């Protein structure tokens, strides 16, 4: 296959042509929420100025982000599914898991609130939704949000409503899922940042409103994990460590705390706490 | 160069397991026009496609100007051209179509003049037709444009497969004129197939008959309907003479097979006792006697139940056979060739 | 429905105001599609031509395989290419994951069967007519070959345009292999997916219109080429 060889050579040439001039870059896999909200767009230029390292990221579900780390395709991860992350580190794929910040989840639903969950605890709310057979939209995509939602169902002590007709698995991103929930007058679990965006898109009169918030179990912890150099000899361990250290530094923590979307703060920095 | 311009030897062509053409020896002499006739499916188009170096024969040799040739042979490049039965035009202008062959063989010199004289040869005025789109042509005009494209090459050998099929009378006459012009002006050697035997004989130096994959060189042939018994799979050679020539005498389970009988194998006699016992005989009437100006042979024409037949006669017989006369005709069944 | 009108307005705004993110995505799209088209044409036209021109045992079966490959889903190609060029994949040492050449490799795989199958088809459909006509003039074998190429050029152009259409509109490969990295591997289609995900429907529509404009420009220039050849 001579032509194939030539093609590959050509591709390699172009690759080098692009990377040689790009300087040092760090590849990160993260979740859609950090990208959609614009947090990374705000942080990356500051990071480049401080360290001279260019941060590139691919935004995906936590499940795929971790898989990319396991396959040594990225150097560092910024994700939010603590239990899965611990397994990831335990398997030797990642090191130095550091908690960086959190935001919180809320349960939203139609203002009519047919299952009467407003102001209740999460556990009660889930029980009531199940009891009333009210529609509930689930991400169903192994994202961080989905993982947490599954945890919450598990904590109610009853089997997952996987096959129930009122349980809608969208397999889509958070905003699409909220949109679908609105169309079906369903409840759903979302991170606050995405909801703020959704709310503003509807000029303050959203079809879905916050019904349950502030419960401790709704805390959404983000952590940064360096991909293990032992597992993946090709990763840029030093760069990953600089990023990880930079993220938990006092200055960056303040930046995160000051980051606002539509005038509302989104993330609470909690490194080292 | 000692031999003929185009020599065909030991030709066998097969399609799958079936032999579709077989010919030991055929020559095309320079500057001659050879006509080929015969029923559909007999092998006329196959012969033309093989001689035109479009189809490679299963077996056999073709020699052109003393050199062996096959499809794509350099020596035949632009020298052997074919107007196939399905030759189509490109949906462009007449000029582009007529010059297409010249461009294809990369002949640049006097291209314009050749295109013009080729169009004139087929009776289409270049001033009127050069720029015309082929979509605006009648069937006969399109056929003539396709012929002009071959004539523009001024080939040594030009093979025409049914050039006059489905064309109007005027185009038919123009094609005839072009063929004669090509031979006269450019010395082109032609091989032309046609259903119209009369047209063919009027134009060609000799006429071949292709029948069931075999080539009959006798100038005149008779095509007969011979009863065939499908149950016993045998030809009925016995019985009355009527049955042999009358298609109406072919009821099931017998059918009729067409068979070819060269005029040289149909004999005439006044004396019924002098006819060999194994021959098939019948009584007929002489309708004419003539001398073929092609092979300089004498022929008698007969009419048997409205079927015209030809028999070759010797010079000595000629004096005893006159039109209107009743006479016995006979042939040996072994001289019949079946499909 | 107001976001459709909003999208049209926004498309012109993005283009005229020289929006950097948009132009970065446009550049990435043109770059990867050019690269993948180059590779698929260089490989696809000769092989497709050979597939249609020559007869050999197993030709029919091979044609069927190529025709089937035309229907390869882009997400599947994306997955396979990811598996190949992931650090732990057999071609991991190339290091082209999350890069434009990586996307181009996937898109070339997408375009190759389209180019090959359609080239073969146009050669075959031409075969009976031109080949017969040329042979009836008594041309040389090389001449037959080159004239066939000449006669088939519009068929090849259509094959290329079809492949180009698939390449510029695909999102599965760009997303999986490119990773939708802002300023780097974000193409117009992955940007549309992202904007839609963010609920920015009007921006998504604007980007879609811009992609349509690029396709229109390509078609327009090719039709001029066809007119003045």
């Amino acid at each position: 296959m001579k032509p194939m060889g030539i093609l590959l050579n050509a591709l390699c040439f172009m690759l080098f042509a692009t990377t040689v001039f790009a300087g040092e870059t760090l590849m990160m896999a993260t979740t859609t929420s950090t990208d959609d909200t614009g947090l990374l767009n705000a942080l990356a230029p500051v990071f480049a100025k401080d360290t001279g390292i260019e941060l590139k990221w691919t935004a995906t579900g936590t499940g795929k982000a971790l898989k990319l780390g396991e396959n040594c395709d990225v150097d560092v991860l910024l994700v939010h599914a603590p239990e899965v992350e611990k397994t990831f580190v335990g398997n030797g794929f990642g090191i130095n898991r550091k908690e960086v910040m959190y935001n919180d989840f809320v349960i939203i639903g139609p203002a009519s609130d047919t299952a009467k969950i407003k102001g209740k605890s999460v556990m009660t709310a889930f029980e009531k939704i199940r009891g009333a057979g009210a529609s509930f939209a689930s991400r169903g995509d192994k994202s961080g949000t989905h993982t947490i939602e599954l945890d919450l169902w598990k904590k109610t002590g009853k089997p997952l409503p996987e096959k129930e007709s009122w349980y809608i698995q969208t397999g889509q991103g958070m905003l699409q899922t909220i949109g679908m929930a609105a169309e079906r007058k369903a409840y759903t679990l979302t991170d606050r940042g995405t909801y703020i965006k959704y709310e503003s898109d509807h000029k303050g009169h959203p079809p879905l409103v916050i019904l349950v918030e502030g419960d401790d179990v709704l805390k959404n912890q983000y952590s940064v994990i360096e991909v293990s150099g032992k597992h993946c000899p090709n990763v840029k361990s030093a760069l990953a460590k600089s990023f990880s250290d930079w993220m938990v530094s006092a200055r960056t923590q303040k930046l995160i705390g000051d980051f606002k979307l539509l005038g509302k703060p989104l993330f609470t920095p909690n490194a080292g706490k | 160069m000692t031999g003929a311009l185009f020599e065909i030897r030991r030709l066998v062509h097969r399609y799958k397991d079936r032999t579709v053409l077989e010919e030991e020896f055929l020559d095309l002499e320079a500057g001659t026009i050879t006509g080929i006739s015969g029923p559909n499916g007999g092998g006329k188009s196959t012969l033309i496609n093989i001689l035109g170096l479009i189809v490679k024969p299963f077996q056999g040799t073709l020699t052109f100007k003393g050199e062996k040739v096959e499809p794509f042979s350099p020596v035949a490049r632009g020298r052997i051209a074919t107007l196939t039965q399905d030759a189509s035009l490109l949906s462009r202008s007449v000029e582009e179509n007529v010059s297409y062959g010249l461009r294809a063989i990369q002949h640049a010199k006097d291209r314009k003049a050749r295109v013009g004289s080729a169009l004139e040869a087929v009776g289409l005025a270049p001033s009127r037709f050069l720029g015309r789109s082929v979509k605006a042509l009648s069937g006969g005009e399109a056929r003539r444009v396709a012929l002009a494209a071959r004539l523009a090459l001024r080939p040594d050998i030009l093979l025409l497969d049914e050039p006059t099929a489905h064309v109007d009378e005027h185009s038919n006459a123009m094609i005839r004129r072009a063929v004669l012009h090509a031979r006269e002006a450019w010395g082109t050697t032609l091989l032309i197939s046609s259903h119209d035997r009369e047209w063919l004989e009027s134009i060609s130096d000799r006429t071949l008959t292709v029948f069931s994959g075999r080539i009959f060189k006798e100038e005149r042939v008779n095509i007969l309907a011979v009863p065939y018994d499908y149950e016993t799979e045998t030809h009925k050679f016995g019985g009355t003479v009527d049955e042999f020539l009358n298609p109406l005498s072919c009821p099931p389970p017998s059918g009729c097979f067409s068979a070819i009988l060269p005029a040289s194998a149909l004999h005439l006699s006044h004396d019924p006792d002098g006819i060999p016992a194994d021959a098939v005989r019948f009584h007929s009437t002489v309708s004419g006697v003539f001398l073929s100006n092609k092979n300089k042979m004498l022929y008698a024409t007969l009419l048997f139940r409205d079927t015209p037949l030809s028999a070759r006669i010797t010079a000595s017989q000629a004096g005893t056979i006159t039109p209107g006369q009743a006479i016995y005709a006979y042939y040996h069944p072994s001289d019949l060739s079946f499909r | 429905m107001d976001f459709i009108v909003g999208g049209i307005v926004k498309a012109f705004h993005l283009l005229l105001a020289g929006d950097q993110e948009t132009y970065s995505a446009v550049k990435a799209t043109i770059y990867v599609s050019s690269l993948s088209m180059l590779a698929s044409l260089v490989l696809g036209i000769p092989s497709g031509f050979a597939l249609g021109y020559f007869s050999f045992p197993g030709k029919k079966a091979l044609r069927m395989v190529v025709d089937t490959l035309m229907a390869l889903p882009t997400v599947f190609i994306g997955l396979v290419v990811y598996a190949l060029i992931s650090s732990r994949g057999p071609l991991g040492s190339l290091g082209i994951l999350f890069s434009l050449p990586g996307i181009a490799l996937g898109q070339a795989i997408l375009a190759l069967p389209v180019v090959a199958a359609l080239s073969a088809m146009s050669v075959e459909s031409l075969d009976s007519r031109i080949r017969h006509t040329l042979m009836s003039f008594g041309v040389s074998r090389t001449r037959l070959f080159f004239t066939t190429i000449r006669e088939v050029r519009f068929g090849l152009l259509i094959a290329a345009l079809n492949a180009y259409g698939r390449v510029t509109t695909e999102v599965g490969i760009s997303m999986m292999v490119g990773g939708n990295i802002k300023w780097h591997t974000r193409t117009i289609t992955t940007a549309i997916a992202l904007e839609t995900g963010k609920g920015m429907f009007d921006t998504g529509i604007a980007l879609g219109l811009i992609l349509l404009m690029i396709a229109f420009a390509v078609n327009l220039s090719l039709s001029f080429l066809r007119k003045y050849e």
Side-chain angles (χ1 to χ4, degrees):
Chain A
M1 286 298 275
K2 218 172 181 180
M4 195 64 193
I6 293 167
L7 172 70
L8 285 176
N9 275 333
L11 290 179
C12 286
F13 174 77
M14 290 183 165
L15 168 75
F16 287 126
T18 50
T19 50
V20 163
F21 299 104
E24 291 212 282
T25 57
L26 177 67
M27 191 66 213
M28 174 168 81
T30 183
T31 62
T32 43
S33 51
T34 55
D35 193 25
D36 285 356
T37 53
L39 174 68
L40 287 174
N41 283 334
L43 293 182
V46 186
F47 177 63
K49 216 163 107 197
D50 287 357
T51 61
I53 301 167
E54 186 193 9
L55 179 68
K56 285 190 191 177
W57 65 90
T58 179
T60 162
T62 296
K64 189 180 158 196
L66 291 171
K67 195 77 193 163
L68 288 172
E70 186 185 330
N71 285 349
C72 313
D73 293 323
V74 292
D75 306 310
V76 70
L77 305 169
L78 178 63
V79 287
H80 61 98
E83 291 310 315
V84 197
E85 290 163 26
K86 281 170 195 160
T87 319
F88 181 79
V89 174
N91 285 341
F93 302 144
I95 53 169
N96 295 336
R97 174 175 175 273
K98 291 176 194 157
E99 302 197 328
V100 176
M101 63 195 184
Y102 68 85
N103 64 356
D104 67 335
F105 287 103
V106 291
I107 299 175
I108 59 172
S112 56
D113 189 19
T114 46
K116 309 247 174 303
I117 64 165
K118 191 170 170 69
K120 301 284 189 303
S121 77
V122 174
M123 286 308 115
T124 322
F126 270 35
E127 300 271 7
K128 277 178 167 289
I129 289 170
R130 187 200 294 269
S135 291
F136 184 94
S138 163
R139 290 277 294 276
D141 61 352
K142 294 224 164 122
S143 58
T145 310
H146 185 222
T147 312
I148 284 160
E149 181 215 313
L150 292 182
D151 269 357
L152 293 175
W153 284 114
K154 216 185 276 171
K155 279 180 190 149
T156 62
K158 296 222 179 87
L160 274 180
E162 189 80 26
K163 299 242 167 78
E164 304 293 340
S165 61
W166 52 266
Y167 189 74
I168 308 156
Q169 301 201 51
T170 67
Q172 308 232 22
M174 197 65 247
L175 255 169
Q176 280 112 315
T177 303
I178 296 177
M180 287 169 77
E183 300 279 347
R184 300 284 295 265
K185 297 202 183 345
Y187 296 92
T188 190
L189 180 77
T190 172
D191 61 282
R192 191 182 289 273
T194 309
Y195 182 73
I196 291 172
K197 208 152 178 333
Y198 173 76
E199 196 180 19
S200 83
D201 288 346
H202 286 81
K203 312 206 165 56
H205 299 289
L208 299 183
V209 297
I210 295 178
L211 297 170
V212 176
E213 62 185 326
D215 195 323
D216 256 5
V217 292
L218 289 176
K219 207 165 97 175
N220 182 26
Q221 181 65 50
Y222 285 80
S223 305
V224 58
I225 304 172
E226 299 160 40
V227 174
S228 162
K230 216 181 265 172
H231 174 63
C232 301
N234 67 321
V235 300
K236 298 168 180 161
S237 298
L239 301 190
K241 188 167 185 319
S242 323
F243 179 73
S244 171
D245 292 345
W246 183 83
M247 279 298 275
V248 298
S249 70
R251 208 166 76 84
T252 311
Q253 289 281 299
K254 188 170 174 332
L255 274 178
I256 294 171
D258 291 344
F259 179 74
K260 288 192 176 74
L261 183 66
L262 307 162
K264 295 180 184 177
L266 276 182
F267 298 98
T268 313
N270 70 337
K273 282 173 193 158
Chain B
M1 203 166 56
T2 51
L5 180 65
F6 204 14
E7 299 173 345
I8 295 94
R9 298 287 180 271
R10 284 198 199 90
L11 178 71
V12 177
H13 192 61
R14 291 212 173 120
Y15 181 73
K16 289 179 180 164
D17 291 340
R18 207 159 59 88
T19 299
V20 293
L21 192 64
E22 217 170 342
E23 173 57 33
E24 270 296 306
F25 181 101
L26 181 69
D27 279 353
L28 297 187
E29 299 286 351
T32 58
I33 299 178
T34 306
I36 48 175
S37 76
N40 277 339
K44 292 196 305 277
S45 295
T46 307
L47 177 67
I48 284 183
N49 284 341
I50 288 172
L51 298 195
L53 307 184
I54 294 170
V55 171
K56 192 175 159 64
F58 178 75
Q59 202 176 292
T61 57
L62 305 173
T63 312
F64 173 64
K65 289 185 175 173
E67 229 177 281
K68 276 191 185 168
V69 288
E70 55 174 31
F72 305 113
S73 287
V75 65
R77 193 171 157 222
R79 303 286 81 219
I80 298 178
T82 315
L83 179 67
T84 54
Q85 216 171 324
D86 57 358
S88 53
L89 297 172
L90 308 163
S91 12
R92 297 175 201 170
S93 71
V94 167
E95 181 180 15
E96 279 200 70
N97 272 285
V98 178
S99 64
Y100 192 81
L102 287 171
R103 281 186 283 128
I105 63 161
Q106 291 174 297
H107 180 102
K109 207 183 65 185
D110 65 349
R111 190 183 288 172
K112 255 210 159 92
R114 281 189 175 208
V115 169
S117 61
L119 269 179
E120 275 166 9
V122 296
L124 298 172
S127 55
R128 284 179 54 213
F129 282 90
L130 268 181
R132 208 173 273 195
S133 160
V134 296
K135 285 172 195 151
L137 298 177
S138 74
E141 285 168 343
R143 196 76 184 143
R144 279 144 74 195
V145 167
L147 174 59
R150 277 74 187 172
L151 289 176
L153 294 173
R154 309 245 170 111
D156 292 324
I157 293 177
L158 181 57
L159 307 146
L160 309 178
D161 197 0
E162 297 278 4
T164 57
H166 316 296
V167 305
D168 56 280
E169 225 163 284
H170 175 65
S171 288
N172 185 315
M174 286 300 126
I175 289 168
R176 177 193 168 84
R177 200 185 72 157
V179 165
L180 295 173
H181 178 76
R183 173 166 64 172
E184 220 174 274
W186 305 312
T188 310
T189 303
L190 291 115
L191 184 89
I192 308 168
S193 80
S194 176
H195 268 93
D196 187 346
R197 186 144 183 131
E198 219 172 298
W199 185 88
L200 207 55
E201 284 181 3
S202 74
I203 201 174
S204 52
D205 301 310
R206 61 169 175 162
T207 314
L208 310 176
T209 307
V210 181
F211 185 87
S212 193
R214 285 163 63 190
I215 300 173
F216 295 86
K217 289 164 196 155
E218 176 66 45
E219 197 52 42
R220 293 235 151 193
V221 293
N222 302 301
I223 292 178
L224 313 174
V226 175
Y228 180 84
D229 190 324
Y230 287 98
E231 277 186 349
T232 58
E233 295 189 0
T234 51
H235 304 288
K236 280 193 192 163
F237 291 123
T240 65
V241 164
D242 284 13
E243 286 179 54
F244 284 85
L245 298 168
N246 188 352
L248 295 174
S249 68
C250 305
S254 301
C256 273
F257 252 52
S258 28
I260 199 163
L261 182 72
S264 56
L266 185 62
H267 312 289
L268 301 180
S269 171
H270 290 295
D271 174 17
D273 299 332
I275 298 171
D278 61 333
V280 174
R281 70 176 76 177
F282 54 92
H283 210 219
S284 180
T285 312
V286 177
S287 59
V289 175
F290 70 93
L291 174 75
S292 163
N293 56 5
K294 294 186 183 157
N295 59 358
K296 309 295 173 204
M297 294 285 180
L298 279 167
Y299 289 95
T301 50
L302 314 169
L303 212 62
F304 179 73
R305 290 182 182 273
D306 298 333
T307 309
L309 300 170
S310 304
R312 198 160 97 187
I313 55 177
T314 60
S316 57
Q317 270 181 308
T320 66
I321 295 174
T322 50
Q325 199 175 35
I327 201 164
Y328 286 101
Y330 66 93
Y331 63 88
H332 298 281
S334 57
D335 286 333
L336 284 174
S337 300
F338 290 90
R339 301 201 86 151
Chain C
M1 295 303 273
D2 52 343
F3 54 76
I4 291 182
V5 180
I8 295 170
V9 174
K10 188 142 192 178
F12 285 101
H13 180 76
L14 289 176
L15 284 178
L16 297 177
D19 180 69
Q20 285 204 26
E21 274 191 61
T22 308
Y23 276 94
S24 159
V26 169
K27 251 192 275 176
T29 298
I30 292 176
Y31 178 83
V32 284
S33 60
S34 306
L35 196 59
S36 60
M37 282 308 294
L38 185 75
S40 64
L41 291 180
V42 163
L43 295 176
I45 287 185
S47 51
F49 190 88
L51 197 57
Y53 191 77
F54 301 107
S55 42
F56 49 88
K59 172 176 168 156
K60 263 196 181 155
L62 192 59
R63 274 297 312 266
M64 216 143 89
V65 169
V66 175
D67 285 350
T68 309
L69 289 180
M70 278 218 288
L72 269 179
T74 56
V75 277
F76 177 71
I77 299 176
L79 193 59
V80 170
V81 172
Y82 168 76
L84 283 176
I85 64 176
S86 158
S87 285
R88 299 206 299 170
L91 298 175
S93 56
L94 290 175
I96 55 171
L97 185 65
F98 301 133
S99 74
L100 294 178
I103 303 177
L105 174 65
Q107 289 186 343
I109 293 172
L110 172 72
L112 192 58
V114 178
V115 173
L118 293 184
S119 306
M121 210 181 284
S122 59
V123 171
E124 273 172 2
S125 64
L126 188 79
D127 195 18
S128 54
R129 232 168 41 124
I130 302 277
R131 185 185 168 89
H132 220 74
T133 305
L134 285 168
M135 285 191 75
S136 74
F137 289 123
V139 298
S140 66
R141 191 176 262 126
T142 38
R143 195 64 206 158
L144 175 65
F145 184 76
F146 284 112
T147 310
T148 309
I149 289 183
R150 212 183 114 75
E151 293 299 338
V152 88
R153 62 199 187 280
F154 293 137
L156 299 183
L157 190 67
I158 285 168
L161 278 177
N162 263 292
Y164 185 77
R166 281 212 79 185
V167 157
T168 46
T169 53
E170 71 80 25
V171 59
I173 297 167
S174 301
M175 193 62 99
M176 185 80 192
V177 178
N180 193 21
I181 301 168
K182 196 175 175 181
W183 307 122
H184 295 281
T185 63
R186 181 162 300 166
T187 63
I188 298 180
T189 51
T190 60
I192 292 173
L194 179 76
E195 295 301 334
T196 311
K198 292 199 296 192
M200 310 290 284
F201 290 170
D202 54 347
T203 314
I205 286 183
L207 288 166
L209 288 175
I210 290 168
L211 188 60
L212 211 60
M213 287 180 208
I214 295 176
F216 183 69
V218 169
N219 272 295
L220 200 67
S221 50
L222 284 177
S223 73
F224 271 113
L225 200 74
R226 193 172 165 161
K227 204 168 167 187
Y228 292 113
E229 65 79 44

